[in-house]
Amino acid sequence: MLAKDGPKGPRQIALQVLRAVEVEGAYVHIALDNELQRSGLERRDRGLVTELVYGTLRRRLTIDWVLDQFSRHALEKMPALLRNNLRMALYQIMFLDNIPPAIACNEAVELAKAVGHKGTVSLVNGVLRAILREPGKADYVKAAKGMERAQAISLVHSHPLWLVNTWIKELGPEATEQLCAANNIAPPTFFRANTLRTTRDELLAELAEIGLTVSPGLLAPEAIRVLAPSAVSHLASFKAGHFAIQDEAAMLVGHALAPGLGELVYDLCAGLGGKTLHLAALMENQGQIMAFDTHGGKLQALGKMAKRLGVTNIQQIQADATNLPGKYLGRAKRVLLDAPCTGWGVLRRKPDIRWRIQPEQSQGLVLLQRQLLKMAYQCLAPGGRLVYSTCTINQAENQENVLWLQRNNPDLRLIEAQGQLPVEARGYIDGDSPMLQLLPHRHGTDGFFIAILQKD
């Protein structure tokens, strides 16, 4: 039996994270990392916590539908701990082959004893036992066959119906279903070899020597795919600054900007600086990168990562990139605007976004993105290049914003993005648009958008 006091087991920790995400609005990756750091759990149990948290969040809509078929009590009226205990147990029963359903049920009952009371214990036991007795009643795939296409995709692949409808209008029903299915598969991890301190081949050998399963990436010359990495920050190669963690799609942004060795480069929304640091490596620490962000804490974190990676040509500037002082305008040879967005392209990596973002929020983001694009244009020197990128799959935030910018600034020329990518990527990414929309189900990357504009 789990105790209310003392060390917590993996399921109790997972339950606390799920509650924090739903009730407190915590970001799943931050809440999970914080809990794991103070948990003292072994690697195997840490892996179980991660699987339970991310899996339950990814499949939440489907799980809730099944629970609604069996529970006399409305889910939304239950205490958050009870609701998420049921969800987590049902995730194990329905989607994990390595945990017997009876064990998942018993563990949920024990967890209810630790965090609830007699009534909640009875409810958990009753609902889960009923599901085990009547699996046909929980057959959501069969139920979906009688629904309209959008509703069926939403139920089977656990995505909000409004988001499914948005993607159907933009991508069509077949691609939307493939995209939603891909979003339920845990994404691969990629390391970006830091070419200021090593080469990809050297890093591949270094990582293989310590027992990691690694292979070259397909799209970027610095990319390394890593199977099931653990405790990355403790690796000697990480401490030595030989790599950073970055998805392949994000690596393509730096190559699209193609900064020269001695140029002045702006990163208008630098954040934690993943792309900023890649630009520095591409520039071989020559020239200057001005990294702007409104959050001083993120810029401080960028500075720490720059030190670890041996980056010396970045200047951090805490400023609002929608309203930069005149001294910064008309100077930059290269401007990167990796804009704040809805994040619909990283749902497989951050599944809590599905339940956090509402459809009306994208409208406010489009206004912000256009303010940032206007300033990005004003920062460009004659002949300068602007790269606009997001990690979302939404034409209003992506293609429509680029066309708006061009209409208001006729001296901006759209450059065909595929031709600017590394050789590795050109044969792998197809499409008939000069703008690039990467998709998880087609390219195996995050859902990333890249557009390249040249000022004449």
Side-chain angles (χ1 to χ4, degrees):
M1 182 184 300
L2 293 169
K4 290 188 178 181
D5 299 317
K8 298 180 176 66
R11 286 176 175 81
Q12 193 163 357
I13 292 172
L15 181 58
Q16 289 178 331
V17 174
L18 290 170
R19 181 197 171 279
V21 170
E22 184 179 30
V23 175
E24 301 169 13
Y27 293 101
V28 61
H29 59 293
I30 297 175
L32 178 61
D33 186 59
N34 288 340
E35 287 292 340
L36 289 178
Q37 282 189 20
R38 54 176 172 255
S39 69
L41 294 177
E42 297 295 330
R43 177 178 177 178
R44 181 178 176 181
D45 284 340
R46 290 165 67 93
L48 176 59
V49 174
T50 301
E51 175 65 42
L52 293 177
V53 169
Y54 277 87
T56 302
L57 283 172
R58 287 190 184 106
R59 298 289 187 172
R60 196 174 91 177
L61 187 148
T62 308
I63 289 169
D64 284 1
W65 182 89
V66 173
L67 289 173
D68 281 339
Q69 311 308 304
F70 290 89
S71 177
R72 296 193 305 269
H73 304 275
L75 279 174
E76 63 271 16
K77 294 183 179 179
M78 293 181 184
L81 286 173
L82 171 59
R83 180 168 57 243
N84 283 290
N85 187 15
L86 284 168
R87 286 169 171 165
M88 190 167 65
L90 193 51
Y91 173 69
Q92 296 167 74
I93 291 169
M94 294 174 62
F95 297 105
L96 292 185
D97 295 332
N98 60 337
I99 297 178
I103 296 296
C105 181
N106 288 337
E107 291 287 349
V109 170
E110 293 301 315
L111 188 53
K113 292 177 182 177
V115 300
H117 53 76
K118 186 176 181 179
T120 59
V121 172
S122 297
L123 191 153
V124 167
N125 186 60
V127 170
L128 295 180
R129 299 292 179 189
I131 293 171
L132 294 180
R133 286 195 306 270
E134 300 180 76
K137 191 176 175 181
D139 191 343
Y140 62 95
V141 175
K142 182 179 179 180
K145 292 178 180 178
M147 299 178 180
E148 293 183 356
R149 186 67 183 274
Q151 290 178 314
I153 293 172
S154 174
L155 173 59
V156 171
H157 301 292
S158 187
H159 282 64
L161 180 59
W162 64 265
L163 180 57
V164 172
N165 279 320
T166 299
W167 281 341
I168 285 177
K169 290 176 184 177
E170 297 186 358
L171 304 172
E174 295 298 330
T176 296
E177 183 152 21
Q178 293 169 10
L179 170 58
C180 291
N183 283 339
N184 287 329
I185 300 171
T189 296
F190 286 92
F191 292 170
R192 176 179 62 79
N194 177 22
T195 52
L196 293 174
R197 290 192 163 167
T198 189
T199 67
R200 179 167 72 173
D201 287 345
E202 289 171 346
L203 183 59
L204 280 166
E206 186 178 350
L207 296 172
E209 188 175 345
I210 62 172
L212 291 181
T213 302
V214 293
S215 59
L218 296 175
L219 304 183
E222 309 93 338
I224 294 176
R225 182 169 179 154
V226 188
L227 183 65
S230 176
V232 167
S233 62
H234 298 302
L235 297 178
S237 52
F238 180 84
K239 294 177 181 178
H242 290 179
F243 70 87
I245 302 172
Q246 191 172 36
D247 189 69
E248 275 196 296
M251 295 183 211
L252 294 182
V253 173
H255 289 286
L257 193 64
L261 298 187
E263 291 179 340
L264 175 61
V265 176
Y266 288 2
D267 186 349
L268 293 187
C269 296
L272 295 173
K275 299 176 189 66
T276 320
L277 295 164
H278 186 202
L279 292 173
L282 292 172
M283 297 169 69
E284 299 177 14
N285 264 341
Q286 300 179 46
Q288 184 178 34
I289 302 173
M290 292 189 173
F292 299 88
D293 203 273
T294 55
H295 301 284
K298 290 182 178 181
L299 292 174
Q300 288 179 0
L302 191 163
K304 291 179 182 178
M305 287 189 283
K307 185 176 181 180
R308 179 178 66 83
L309 296 171
V311 171
T312 58
N313 67 335
I314 295 175
Q315 179 183 353
Q316 297 113 279
I317 303 167
Q318 187 172 356
D320 179 359
T322 65
N323 187 28
L324 294 177
K327 65 180 180 179
Y328 295 118
L329 306 186
R331 296 178 54 200
K333 193 67 174 177
R334 295 285 190 272
V335 174
L336 170 60
L337 174 55
D338 185 54
C341 66
T342 49
W344 299 347
V346 291
L347 296 189
R348 60 182 190 158
R349 203 174 293 281
K350 299 178 180 179
D352 51 321
I353 293 176
R354 301 182 200 194
W355 322 120
R356 189 186 305 278
I357 294 289
Q358 298 302 315
E360 61 272 11
Q361 289 178 266
S362 67
Q363 299 172 4
L365 281 167
V366 168
L367 294 176
L368 173 61
Q369 290 156 358
R370 293 190 175 187
Q371 288 178 299
L372 289 165
L373 280 165
K374 183 178 178 181
M375 184 57 63
Y377 168 77
Q378 292 176 11
C379 288
L380 278 176
R385 172 177 290 193
L386 165 63
V387 166
Y388 175 63
S389 64
T390 73
C391 59
T392 197
I393 306 168
N394 182 12
Q395 290 181 6
E397 297 179 76
N398 294 338
Q399 293 90 341
E400 291 176 20
N401 272 344
V402 173
L403 296 176
W404 169 85
L405 185 66
Q406 279 193 289
R407 284 196 303 270
N408 287 278
N409 301 282
D411 59 343
L412 278 179
R413 175 169 47 90
L414 191 60
I415 297 176
E416 195 267 325
Q418 284 180 249
Q420 303 297 306
L421 297 181
V423 173
E424 293 89 339
R426 293 179 196 175
Y428 186 75
I429 298 172
D430 56 357
D432 54 6
S433 170
M435 296 177 263
L436 184 64
Q437 178 69 72
L438 295 166
L439 298 165
H441 65 286
R442 287 184 60 188
H443 307 108
T445 67
D446 291 341
F448 229 89
F449 174 82
I450 301 173
I452 307 172
L453 297 133
Q454 192 82 19
K455 185 176 182 181
D456 294 329

